[in-house]
């Protein structure tokens, strides 16, 4: 439809039917929704307004049940009858459910849509043991999401290698080892026989007689083309809906595209071929001359639970292929390309996929590898002895594909930049679709932007507007705020010419944060510009109740505090009290109107579990009790938490202090991690234990507790002043580079200045729970009707 709108926006009246109650969204990012890193609005590709703006009639929650090919009409289960001149079937795939005894039990689901995500999230609140059947990409993503929901996740796979359709045994074992390190459990070469339980699932029995307990079973064993509608209405069907090179079915004026279509005996379950089909089909129905669709090279480039993986074409060695391999076990990198008749016929990359675009293009062009220094084929463009990233982009031909998911070439991006004045990756995404799906090509899109615009764009091509309300980047907005001394969100929008007078949910919180950061003593925090959790100072739950997490410095509490928490939980009938991952107690299910009274009776400071702020400092028992402890981690954690509590930051900050390198407090995957060593401390930064799994980088080694505080304060303030709003330290450290950060912070005078600005920011902060308890007017917001957003 997007291609049709580009070619002939006025040619058709377009009507779209969808069974789900949502506009189209990115299924690739469902794992992010499951893990809590995104919600439905973040993964929507075309919102409701887009359909209106393009004159498209969208019927959601309507399933087409009949096609009258003689009258050229479709009928839905909701009673809608619609005539057509041209009909496109894009019914996609259905998850394959194993026909096991007990598969109908409650707690047995697939992982295919938003409803499945919601079911898993709800189950995680009551249950702990999950089994995922299927060790392919979807199964691993489901398991990673369940781990993030604090469930135990076991993956059952019938084969001895994970992702056996994309990876060779070496890459598969590397992936398994990495995922086991993340807490995933694997039951390999296991054949499921029966799902156990009465009403709800309780376990899974295998054909070897063993049983595995489970409260939730997710089937991710594959997909099958959704062909029922076509089959019932006389359209030729084999595995999929049979189409020719112009995506025409056996019935005139009826086409099929995507995962439901079978072309030359092939059914594609990956994104890139579907876009290639869509481009040919759009030109055909618009009467534009086009080459036929002749099939696609099957390839996958993705992140599997934080690990970069690429697979294209053939990946298993055979007697008539030869291989070029690079295997660095220390760096966790494995690369292989397969060559037949001097041409690349397949590749597997694990841990570093920066070569993927170049290799894929060589496969398409059938490049003779004998004419190339063969080891250089697998050299990173940015590594020694290879071209720089910029030089590699400059050397690309215009027809080379930059975004494989959406089939966007370098030439298309260059033309869009030059003709439409695009100056950011976000604008390129909106105009061409490049980086719109999995986002893996975003750095490459940025390099093309930098190559075209040179000095007019910031390094890396990341000059992106902070939202669609303005063309100004974060840096430009901050510069204007400083130069014009703007101190309110309204003032910024008016003076800087915002397109939307009231702004949007993306820019208002960002502007409010930047003003707080720049003018901590002048700017009055604007509650209406904060997200609902920060406005209410508690995490809103699915049923509209709230979560209350009191502060427990370093995870340490007292009998008196525990008694108060228990009494409050009993008095206000709190349905669930849970220990969080950050060593604190969470009171879940508090009614909105009870929040101020709960806070007052707890008489404990807010743990800021709801805000873009310092969340918690996790600690191990350290040298006070542990026989391995080298430093007093508890006291250090308490000191850090008391110093920086309530500090507003671009994104949430999780911290930890470990008393020795055994790292019981998981300091290595925190935004800031402190590890005690003999005679001092190590500081790690930029770690992340979520979907974007990242180990922290060693920032420095220091000898004293005072130095730990000094470096921590300087790092946090430098991050506050330079990161984009909403950007976690893991992304920021990767974007800016650890060396660049360290170079700034190694200057003692710079550290002193950063800590001085930090002290000013901390001096004006108040505990929000206490402030609301003492301010009668502020309490009125808890008496209003709840608004979910």
């Amino acid at each position: 439809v997007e291609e049709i709108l580009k070619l002939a926006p006025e040619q058709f009246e377009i009507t779209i039917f969808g069974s789900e109650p949502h506009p189209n969204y990115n299924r690739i990012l469902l794992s992010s929704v499951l893990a809590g890193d995104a919600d439905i609005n973040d993964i929507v590709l075309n919102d409701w307004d887009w359909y209106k703006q393009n004159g498209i009639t969208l019927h959601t929650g309507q399933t087409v049940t009949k096609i009258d090919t003689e009258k050229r009409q479709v009928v839905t289960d909701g009673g809608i009858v619609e005539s057509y001149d041209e009909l496109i079937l894009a019914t996609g795939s259905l998850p394959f459910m194993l026909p096991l005894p007990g598969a109908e039990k409650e707690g047995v689901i697939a992982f295919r849509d938003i409803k499945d995500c919601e079911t898993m999230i709800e189950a995680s609140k009551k249950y702990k043991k999950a089994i995922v059947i299927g060790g392919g990409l979807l199964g691993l993503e489901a398991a990673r999401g369940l781990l993030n929901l604090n469930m135990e996740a076991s993956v059952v796979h019938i084969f001895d290698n994970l992702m056996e359709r994309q990876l060779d045994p070496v890459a598969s074992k590397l992936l398994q080892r990495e995922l086991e390190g993340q807490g995933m459990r694997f039951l390999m070469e296991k054949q499921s026989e029966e799902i156990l339980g009465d009403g709800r699932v309780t376990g899974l029995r295998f054909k070897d007689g063993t049983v595995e307990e489970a409260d939730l079973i997710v089937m991710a064993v594959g997909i099958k083309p959704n062909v029922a509608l076509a089959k019932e209405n006389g359209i030729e069907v084999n595995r999929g809906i049979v189409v020719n090179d112009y995506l025409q079915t056996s019935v005139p004026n009826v086409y099929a595209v995507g995962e439901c279509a079978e072309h030359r005996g092939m059914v594609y379950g990956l994104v890139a071929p579907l876009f290639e089909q869509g481009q040919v089909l759009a030109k055909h129905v618009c009467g534009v001359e086009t080459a036929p669709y002749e099939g696609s090279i099957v390839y996958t480039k993705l992140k599997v639970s934080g690990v970069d993986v690429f697979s294209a074409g053939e990946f298993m060695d055979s007697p008539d292929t030869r291989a070029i391999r690079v295997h660095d076990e220390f760096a966790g990198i494995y690369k292989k390309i397969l060559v037949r008749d001097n041409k690349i016929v397949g590749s597997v990359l694990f841990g570093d996929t920066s070569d993927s675009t170049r290799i894929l293009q060589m496969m398409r062009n059938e490049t003779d590898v004998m004419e190339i220094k063969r080891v250089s084929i697998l050299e990173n463009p940015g590594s020694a002895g290879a071209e720089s990233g910029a030089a590699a982009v400059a050397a690309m031909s215009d027809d080379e594909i930059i975004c494989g998911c959406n089939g966007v070439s370098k030439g298309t991006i260059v033309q869009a930049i030059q003709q439409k004045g695009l100056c950011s990756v976000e604008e390129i995404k909106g105009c061409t679709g490049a980086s719109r799906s999995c986002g893996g090509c975003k750095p490459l899109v940025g390099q093309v932007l930098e190559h075209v615009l040179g000095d007019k764009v910031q390094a890396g091509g990341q000059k992106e507007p902070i939202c669609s309300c303005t063309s100004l980047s974060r840096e430009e907005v901050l510069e204007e705020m400083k130069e014009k001394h703007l101190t309110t969100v309204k003032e910024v929008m008016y003076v800087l010419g915002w397109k939307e007078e009231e702004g949007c949910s993306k820019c208002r919180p960002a502007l409010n944060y930047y003003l707080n950061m720049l003018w901590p003593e002048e700017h009055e925090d604007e509650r209406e510009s904060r997200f609902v959790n920060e406005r209410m100072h508690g995490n809103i739950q699915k049923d509209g109740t709230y979560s209350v997490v009191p502060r427990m410095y370093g995870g340490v509490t007292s009998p008196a505090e525990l008694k108060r928490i228990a009494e409050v939980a009993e008095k206000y009938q709190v349905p669930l009290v849970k220990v969080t991952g950050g060593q604190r107690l969470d009171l879940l299910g508090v009614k909105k109107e009870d929040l101020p009274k709960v806070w007052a009776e707890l008489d404990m400071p807010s743990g800021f579990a709801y805000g873009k702020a310092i969340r918690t400092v996790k600690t191990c028992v350290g040298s006070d009790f542990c026989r391995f402890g080298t430093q007093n981690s508890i006291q250090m954690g308490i000191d850090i938490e008391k110093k920086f509590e309530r500090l507003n930051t671009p994104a949430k900050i999780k911290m930890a202090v470990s008393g020795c390198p055994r790292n019981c407090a998981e300091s290595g995957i925190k935004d800031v991690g402190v590890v005690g060593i003999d005679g001092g401390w190590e500081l790690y930064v930029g770690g992340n234990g979520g979907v974007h799994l990242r180990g922290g980088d060693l920032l420095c080694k220091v000898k004293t507790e005072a130095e730990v505080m000094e470096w921590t304060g300087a790092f946090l303030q430098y991050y506050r002043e330079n990161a984009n709003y909403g950007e976690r330290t893991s992304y920021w450290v990767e974007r800016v580079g650890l060396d660049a950060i360290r170079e700034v912070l190694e200057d003692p005078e710079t550290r002193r200045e950063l800590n001085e600005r930090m002290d000013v920011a901390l001096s004006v902060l108040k505990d929000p729970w206490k402030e609301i308890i003492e301010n009668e007017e502020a309490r009125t917001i808890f008496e209003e009707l709840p608004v979910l957003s």
Side-chain angles (χ1 to χ4, degrees):
V1 169
E2 289 177 351
E3 291 296 318
I4 289 170
L5 292 174
K6 287 180 195 173
L7 295 166
E10 306 297 330
Q11 187 169 341
F12 297 103
E13 291 179 8
I14 300 174
T15 302
I16 297 179
F17 293 94
S19 293
E20 291 189 67
H22 314 283
N24 62 314
Y25 60 89
N26 190 345
R27 290 190 194 277
I28 295 171
L29 297 180
L30 277 175
S31 54
S32 297
V33 175
L34 181 61
D37 283 359
D39 62 26
I40 175 60
N41 294 322
D42 296 322
I43 68 169
V44 167
L45 291 169
N46 300 100
D47 61 18
W48 299 96
D49 289 340
W50 179 86
Y51 290 89
K52 291 176 186 174
Q53 289 161 7
N54 288 284
I56 297 171
T57 302
L58 173 64
H59 296 292
T60 57
Q62 293 278 345
T63 302
V64 174
T65 54
K66 182 182 177 184
I67 302 171
D68 188 328
T69 54
E70 289 188 6
K71 292 182 180 178
R72 291 195 190 178
Q73 288 181 336
V74 297
V75 181
T76 75
D77 57 356
I80 297 175
V81 179
E82 186 75 42
S83 299
Y84 68 84
D85 296 309
E86 311 282 358
L87 177 66
I88 299 172
L89 301 178
T91 51
S93 293
L94 298 171
F96 182 74
M97 300 295 284
L98 293 172
L100 298 174
E104 75 290 345
K105 296 184 190 300
E106 184 186 355
V108 180
I109 62 169
F111 180 35
R112 183 66 178 165
D113 55 28
I114 288 169
K115 188 177 179 182
D116 294 329
C117 284
E118 291 173 344
T119 301
M120 284 189 255
I121 291 168
E122 193 61 33
S124 71
K125 296 175 182 176
K126 302 177 184 176
Y127 305 104
K128 282 297 152 203
K129 291 184 179 291
I131 288 177
V132 177
I133 303 178
L137 169 64
L138 205 60
L140 299 178
E141 290 288 13
R144 178 65 254 179
L146 291 166
L147 285 176
N148 278 48
L149 292 170
N150 294 319
M151 294 193 79
E152 298 173 21
S154 299
V155 177
V156 173
H157 198 43
I158 195 169
F159 301 105
D160 60 349
N161 289 316
L162 301 174
M163 289 184 68
E164 73 286 344
R165 293 184 179 181
Q166 288 92 19
L167 301 180
D168 68 1
V170 175
S172 174
K173 293 304 177 189
L174 284 169
L175 178 61
Q176 183 175 339
R177 190 186 312 159
E178 178 69 31
L179 297 180
E180 284 172 339
Q182 295 180 21
M184 221 173 277
R185 184 164 165 261
F186 292 96
L187 301 170
M188 306 298 286
E189 297 183 87
K190 285 279 193 178
Q191 193 166 352
S192 304
E193 183 177 62
E194 182 184 4
I195 294 171
L196 308 176
D198 294 328
R200 185 179 179 89
V201 58
T202 59
L204 179 63
R205 179 183 289 122
F206 302 106
K207 289 205 170 175
D208 62 8
T210 59
V211 172
E212 188 75 15
E213 290 183 8
D215 306 307
L216 178 73
I217 292 181
V218 180
M219 289 199 194
V221 292
I223 55 175
K224 56 185 179 180
N226 185 6
V227 299
L229 179 64
K231 190 174 183 179
E232 290 165 7
N233 289 277
I235 298 168
E236 184 184 354
V237 167
N238 188 28
R239 283 175 58 221
I241 303 169
V242 177
V243 296
N244 64 15
D245 289 357
Y246 293 96
L247 290 309
Q248 296 166 305
T249 69
S250 61
V251 174
N253 304 100
V254 179
Y255 307 83
V257 65
E259 292 181 344
C260 66
E262 180 179 333
H263 173 264
R264 299 187 184 183
M266 282 291 295
V267 177
Y268 296 96
L270 298 170
V271 175
L274 317 185
F275 281 94
E276 292 171 11
Q277 292 176 4
Q279 288 168 346
V280 172
L281 176 54
K283 288 177 181 176
H284 182 74
V285 298
C286 290
V288 176
E289 189 174 341
T290 178
Y293 174 69
E294 296 181 317
S296 302
I297 294 174
V298 179
Y299 68 92
T300 311
K301 182 181 179 182
L302 37 85
K303 267 189 185 294
V304 183
S305 301
V307 183
D308 288 306
V309 176
F310 172 79
S311 173
E314 299 178 35
F315 55 89
M316 296 294 287
D317 298 81
S318 63
D320 63 342
T321 60
R322 289 186 290 172
I324 303 167
R325 290 182 176 88
V326 172
H327 190 177
D328 183 344
E329 291 192 21
F330 291 97
I333 289 171
Y334 171 69
K335 303 181 182 186
K336 179 179 81 172
I337 59 173
L338 287 177
V339 178
R340 180 185 294 115
D341 298 329
N342 297 344
K343 296 179 179 65
I344 298 174
V345 294
S347 176
V348 173
L349 307 177
F350 178 91
D352 173 16
T353 59
S354 57
D355 301 305
S356 59
T357 302
R358 190 159 40 87
I359 290 171
L360 191 58
Q361 196 63 33
M362 292 172 77
M363 291 175 66
R364 287 192 173 113
N365 295 342
E366 299 187 342
T367 303
D368 189 336
V369 298
M370 293 300 110
E371 298 174 1
I372 305 170
K373 181 183 174 185
R374 282 177 292 285
V375 175
S376 71
I377 296 170
L378 288 175
E379 283 182 338
N380 298 338
S383 65
E387 299 172 285
S388 70
V393 166
M396 284 182 174
S397 62
D398 280 351
D399 63 349
E400 288 195 44
I401 299 297
I402 297 292
C403 175
C405 291
N406 300 301
V408 185
S409 68
K410 174 190 169 184
T412 300
I413 295 172
V414 170
Q415 187 179 35
I417 294 168
Q418 292 173 336
Q419 293 184 356
K420 301 191 178 180
L422 309 182
C423 60
S424 72
V425 174
E426 197 66 25
E427 288 176 338
I428 292 170
K429 179 172 76 173
C431 181
T432 68
S435 79
R436 184 186 183 198
S437 296
C438 75
C441 65
K442 195 171 184 179
L444 196 54
V445 175
Q447 288 176 1
V448 175
L449 182 65
E450 187 179 5
H451 166 65
V452 176
L453 297 184
D455 294 340
K456 296 178 184 176
V457 69
Q458 295 170 7
Q462 300 304 312
K463 181 183 178 298
E464 296 189 28
I466 64 173
C467 73
S468 59
C469 299
T470 178
S471 61
L472 298 174
S473 68
R474 170 195 179 276
E475 288 70 24
E476 289 168 333
V477 170
L478 283 172
E479 192 59 40
E480 293 286 346
M481 286 177 174
K482 292 176 191 173
E483 187 180 319
K484 295 181 170 65
H485 204 87
L486 308 176
T487 59
T488 69
V489 170
K490 278 280 191 186
E491 192 177 20
V492 171
M493 291 177 175
Y494 178 75
V495 173
L496 302 187
W498 242 238
K499 297 172 191 172
E500 296 294 332
E501 190 177 334
E502 296 297 322
C504 67
S505 61
K506 188 174 180 182
C507 64
R508 289 187 68 90
L511 294 179
N512 188 53
Y513 168 75
Y514 296 142
L515 290 167
N516 269 330
M517 185 266 294
L518 282 177
W519 319 116
E521 296 174 300
E522 288 181 65
H523 176 251
E524 188 173 335
D525 188 65
E526 300 176 36
R527 184 173 58 84
E528 67 277 8
S529 293
R530 287 188 174 272
F531 293 118
V532 62
N533 284 348
E534 293 174 323
R535 289 203 304 272
M536 298 299 163
H537 305 293
N539 274 328
I540 193 167
Q541 305 300 301
K542 192 172 181 179
D543 60 359
T545 61
Y546 286 80
S547 160
V548 171
V549 181
R551 179 75 65 179
M552 288 182 176
Y553 299 103
V556 176
T557 187
S558 66
E561 285 182 345
L562 288 173
K563 191 181 293 184
R564 285 207 301 275
I565 290 170
E567 288 169 350
V568 166
E570 281 188 340
K571 180 175 179 179
Y572 293 97
Q573 299 180 328
V574 173
L576 179 65
V577 179
K578 181 186 180 299
V579 178
T580 72
Q583 299 178 326
R584 302 184 297 186
L585 289 173
D586 193 354
L587 283 70
L588 291 144
V590 179
K591 296 174 185 174
K592 180 181 176 182
E593 60 271 21
D594 287 339
L595 285 172
K597 293 177 283 187
V598 167
W599 298 335
E601 292 181 37
L602 282 173
D603 194 26
M604 297 171 71
S606 166
F608 273 76
Y610 48 81
K612 289 179 169 55
I614 302 294
R615 293 285 181 93
T616 178
V617 182
K618 189 175 181 179
T619 65
C620 67
V621 296
S623 58
D624 277 0
F625 291 92
C626 179
R627 60 198 176 100
F628 300 113
T630 60
Q631 299 289 352
N632 188 344
S633 56
I634 291 179
Q635 190 57 53
M636 175 57 76
I638 292 172
D639 291 345
I640 291 174
E641 193 162 352
K642 285 191 172 181
K643 166 78 173 179
F644 300 110
E645 64 176 323
R646 302 195 290 271
L647 181 69
N648 289 314
T649 47
K652 62 184 176 184
I653 292 283
K654 295 183 179 180
M655 304 169 77
V657 183
S658 297
C660 77
R662 284 174 174 79
N663 231 330
C664 293
E666 301 171 336
S667 302
I669 53 169
K670 301 299 184 189
D671 295 278
V672 177
V674 181
V675 179
I677 56 176
D678 284 330
W681 304 85
E682 293 178 336
L683 265 69
Y684 291 84
V685 296
N688 190 329
V691 170
H692 181 69
L693 187 72
R694 186 179 193 275
D697 295 320
L698 179 62
L699 178 65
C700 64
K701 293 184 181 181
V702 296
K703 293 183 178 179
T704 68
E705 288 81 357
E707 288 176 295
V708 172
M709 300 298 283
E710 177 193 1
W711 276 83
T712 301
F715 172 79
L716 288 173
Q717 184 64 14
Y718 190 58
Y719 163 65
R720 291 182 75 234
E721 294 177 358
N722 291 278
N724 297 319
Y725 182 74
E727 184 177 32
R728 290 291 299 270
T729 60
S730 53
Y731 291 95
W732 178 68
V733 169
E734 282 186 355
R735 177 169 65 85
V736 176
L738 180 69
D739 290 342
I741 295 168
R742 190 187 284 128
E743 186 178 344
V744 171
L745 300 185
E746 280 177 343
D747 177 38
E749 182 61 21
T750 301
R751 290 201 303 276
R752 186 188 64 77
E753 291 171 357
L754 286 165
N755 274 291
E756 283 180 356
R757 294 199 291 276
M758 168 68 77
D759 289 340
V760 172
L762 291 169
S763 69
V764 297
L765 297 175
K766 300 175 184 175
D767 186 274
W769 290 358
K770 193 168 186 179
E771 198 172 8
I772 287 167
I773 292 165
E774 295 172 352
N775 187 331
E776 189 174 342
E777 186 180 343
R779 289 198 298 275
T780 59
I781 67 167
F782 298 93
E783 298 161 9
E784 300 164 359
L785 290 172
V787 178
L788 299 183
S789 64

